[in-house]
Amino acid sequence: MDRLVKTVAIVGLSGLMVACNSDDSGSSTPPKPVITSLTKAGDLTPGSIVKAISTCDDCSPENTKYTWVVEKEGAIDITEDKYFKVPDEIAGKTVRLIAKAHGSDTEEYVVFQRVTVDSIYQNDYSFVALRDNGSIVAWGNNKYGGDIQVGSSGDFSSGIIDIISTPYAHAALKEDGSVMAWGWDYGGGDINMGSGGNLSSGIKKIFSTQQAFAALRDDGSVISWGHPEIGNVNNGSGGDLSSGVIDIVYAWSAFAALKDDGSVVTWGFGYGADSSSCANFLSSDITQVFGNTYAFAALKEDGSVCAWGDPRGGGDITVGSGGDLSSGVVNIIPGIMTFAAIKEDGSVVAWGNSRYGGDVTVGSGGDLSSGVKQVIPTTNGWAFSALKDDGSVIAWGSFTNGGDVNFGNKGDLSSGVDRVVAGTRAFAAIKKDGSVVTWGGLDTSVDPNNPDLNSGVIDVIPTNPSGHDGSAFTAIKKDGSIVAWGDESQGGDITHGSGGDLSSGVSHIFATSTAFSALKDDGSVVAWGNLERGGDTSYGSSGDLTAEVKQVYSNRNAFAALKDDGQVITWGNLETGGFSHHIESELQPHDIIIESSL
């Protein structure tokens, strides 16, 4: 194959494209050759050979001259031939095919681009794939973000750099600083619902709560939309949101904005939106704000704390076990209706609903006056565990949800604990000797005599908390094997699923609310658990999961696997993203025409 390959600066391209034709015969001018169609045979797969194909009038097609131009890092690669070898680094680049018929003064061109999926985002009910050309495709529950046509309109074909989600909608941030949203309008899917504002430029970050979004602009101002009361900056205690905002924190149905002068402004609906009870405290020197479901807590430079919202849900620091919050607090950990503060002396103070962790005396008890280095809540927020410097663990809150280290526990938590992992209704402690101890929900208890869990464990993964119904764990061991336990139908039994070898080679574990998927070193995927919620890779899927998978994503009830070539394969609940056959071509690497002279 005779091929000439050159690399030149873009500014020099026109010189290479010029060709002169003259006719000095003095006879009548014959019709000029005209290219009538131009395309290619073959896909722009790295390393493949594609062929230029054209038709023309008044010409000899075999004499047509073809030029392939690939943009590359401020320069271009040019290949002058009918055939073109696709470079390995083709992702995100354009390929311009130029054709000039012999004897013609004009050229025709077509610009192709290979489009592949770069990353995947999800909410509880749908997925969004972001492709390397900045376009997106969504699937799952149409009402809750699975259809980009449901919600406010916009151009989803290019320029998107990030996706932020509520459980019911998605928002896309574009490279020009504009924002688009789709999904349930009362969940943030309509940018025109709420207090409104200019979302066409200048947005640098987006935050979300359960049913609304808040966008932070370059000038420090805030725009909010979604549920008419939550996404309305005029609902709340009032305050200036036109400048100076540096961070936004959310509760279930309210937002709190931290400003560069150390003040806080709140808005939304219900508990947390009204911060008047802490008005003076919030006027200056605030360094961090924390939110749970029903309340906020603010931490000042001097280590003091003030909370507001539902008094029974953490909005009153005097409700609960009590303790000194006037100084020395270094961190605050939210539960569902509670907060736990770690002080610089290693002590813990908790407040809020005593049943769910607001009272450190409700639970298995223990010394929380010193030595605490970490506090971990269950993912349902109903209990806390404290890991101490001496490797011991203390828990409090709901007895049956992890608040009592003796409930469902048959192991030793008095020493040697390296890390605590929170599940929905239980905890798992990984000890320095590689053993595991669990407590909380009865289905997740571990027999300390189980030889598979008394050594070699390097990580423990719970079922996804988004469904609030998971009650299983999976452990990865040093040898690449895995051990699962808990509710057998919800991921606690590796034999309950699509099957596969889990005795070695497992590198990562992913979870829905009732199922697990294991990604192995060889790029294959094995799933188990609830068969209709991700435990069976054949349920909803028609793709190959035996090799070349590089990442797995999950929402409440479905999985999506991204392969090395950018192909996406889904399985699990058909209504929340496990089914994607209707957009299968959009989730495969494919070539598109982005410009043509014909």
Side-chain angles (χ1 to χ4, degrees), residues 355 361-364 382-383 396-405 407 425 439-441:
R355 179 181 177 185
T361 67
V362 176
S364 50
W382 290 11
W396 68 98
S398 171
F399 287 84
T400 58
N401 287 270
D404 185 344
V405 295
F407 190 88
R425 300 196 296 262
W439 67 100

Side-chain angles (χ1 to χ4, degrees), residues 84-108:
F84 169 65
K85 183 176 182 180
V86 181
D88 291 337
E89 301 298 326
I90 194 65
K93 298 179 174 62
T94 59
V95 176
R96 181 182 293 261
L97 171 58
I98 302 170
K100 185 176 182 181
H102 181 70
S104 174
D105 295 331
T106 60
E107 299 169 340
E108 303 296 345

Side-chain angles (χ1 to χ4, degrees), residues 319-517:
V319 175
S321 52
D324 181 17
L325 291 169
S326 64
S327 65
V329 175
V330 295
N331 194 16
I332 299 174
I333 299 88
I336 188 171
M337 303 175 70
T338 54
F339 292 99
I342 302 178
K343 303 192 69 174
E344 56 192 1
D345 62 3
S347 63
V348 172
V349 177
W351 69 98
N353 190 301
S354 60
R355 179 181 177 185
Y356 299 129
D359 186 340
V360 296
T361 67
V362 176
S364 50
D367 181 16
L368 290 170
S369 64
S370 64
V372 175
K373 64 178 183 179
Q374 187 180 15
V375 172
I376 308 99
T378 53
T379 54
N380 68 6
W382 290 11
F384 292 98
S385 285
L387 178 58
K388 301 192 69 174
D389 293 330
D390 61 5
S392 64
V393 173
I394 297 170
W396 68 98
S398 171
F399 287 84
T400 58
N401 287 270
D404 185 344
V405 295
N406 299 308
F407 190 88
N409 173 27
K410 300 177 182 178
D412 178 21
L413 291 170
S414 64
S415 64
V417 175
D418 181 64
R419 185 157 56 96
V420 176
V421 176
T424 305
R425 300 196 296 262
F427 291 101
I430 304 173
K431 303 194 72 173
K432 293 177 181 178
D433 62 6
S435 63
V436 175
V437 178
T438 62
W439 67 100
L442 286 175
D443 289 335
T444 58
S445 61
V446 169
D447 184 347
N449 297 316
N450 183 341
D452 293 326
L453 289 170
N454 61 19
S455 66
V457 174
I458 58 175
D459 199 8
V460 173
I461 298 89
T463 44
N464 190 317
S466 62
H468 296 288
D469 50 5
S471 56
F473 288 96
T474 293
I476 303 180
K477 303 193 69 175
K478 289 181 181 178
D479 61 5
S481 64
I482 66 108
V483 182
W485 68 97
D487 189 316
E488 294 182 358
S489 66
Q490 298 187 14
D493 183 353
I494 61 174
T495 66
H496 190 89
S498 50
D501 179 18
L502 292 168
S503 64
S504 64
V506 175
S507 58
H508 296 88
I509 300 291
F510 307 89
T512 65
S513 61
T514 55
F516 292 99
S517 286

Side-chain angles (χ1 to χ4, degrees), residues 525-558:
V525 173
V526 179
W528 67 98
N530 186 301
L531 301 182
E532 297 181 1
R533 295 186 178 186
D536 184 350
T537 57
S538 66
Y539 192 86
S541 168
S542 61
D544 179 17
L545 291 168
T546 62
E548 299 181 349
V549 174
K550 65 178 181 179
Q551 181 68 28
V552 177
Y553 302 84
S554 65
N555 66 12
R556 184 172 182 171
N557 293 316

Side-chain angles (χ1 to χ4, degrees), residues 165-235:
S165 306
T166 70
Y168 312 104
H170 302 282
L173 177 62
K174 303 191 74 172
E175 58 191 356
D176 63 3
S178 63
V179 173
M180 301 174 297
W182 69 100
W184 187 35
D185 52 1
Y186 272 69
D190 186 349
I191 60 175
N192 300 307
M193 180 177 285
S195 52
N198 180 18
L199 289 168
S200 63
S201 64
I203 306 301
K204 66 177 183 179
K205 193 171 182 180
I206 302 173
F207 304 83
S208 67
T209 184
Q210 282 291 309
Q211 292 178 244
F213 292 98
L216 179 58
R217 295 178 57 86
D218 292 332
D219 61 6
S221 62
V222 173
I223 298 170
S224 190
W225 72 95
H227 187 286
E229 294 178 286
I230 304 171
N232 190 335
V233 295
N234 299 310
N235 287 344

Side-chain angles (χ1 to χ4, degrees), residues 297-320:
L299 177 61
K300 299 195 81 163
E301 291 177 352
D302 62 5
S304 60
V305 175
C306 189
W308 66 98
D310 184 352
R312 301 162 298 175
D316 185 341
I317 60 174
T318 67
V319 175

Side-chain angles (χ1 to χ4, degrees), residues 209-269:
T209 184
Q210 282 291 309
Q211 292 178 244
F213 292 98
L216 179 58
R217 295 178 57 86
D218 292 332
D219 61 6
S221 62
V222 173
I223 298 170
S224 190
W225 72 95
H227 187 286
E229 294 178 286
I230 304 171
N232 190 335
V233 295
N234 299 310
N235 287 344
S237 299
D240 180 17
L241 289 169
S242 65
S243 64
V245 175
I246 57 175
D247 194 18
I248 299 174
V249 180
Y250 59 88
W252 186 273
S253 59
F255 290 99
L258 177 61
K259 304 191 67 175
D260 53 14
D261 62 1
S263 64
V264 172
V265 178
T266 59
W267 73 96
F269 171 70

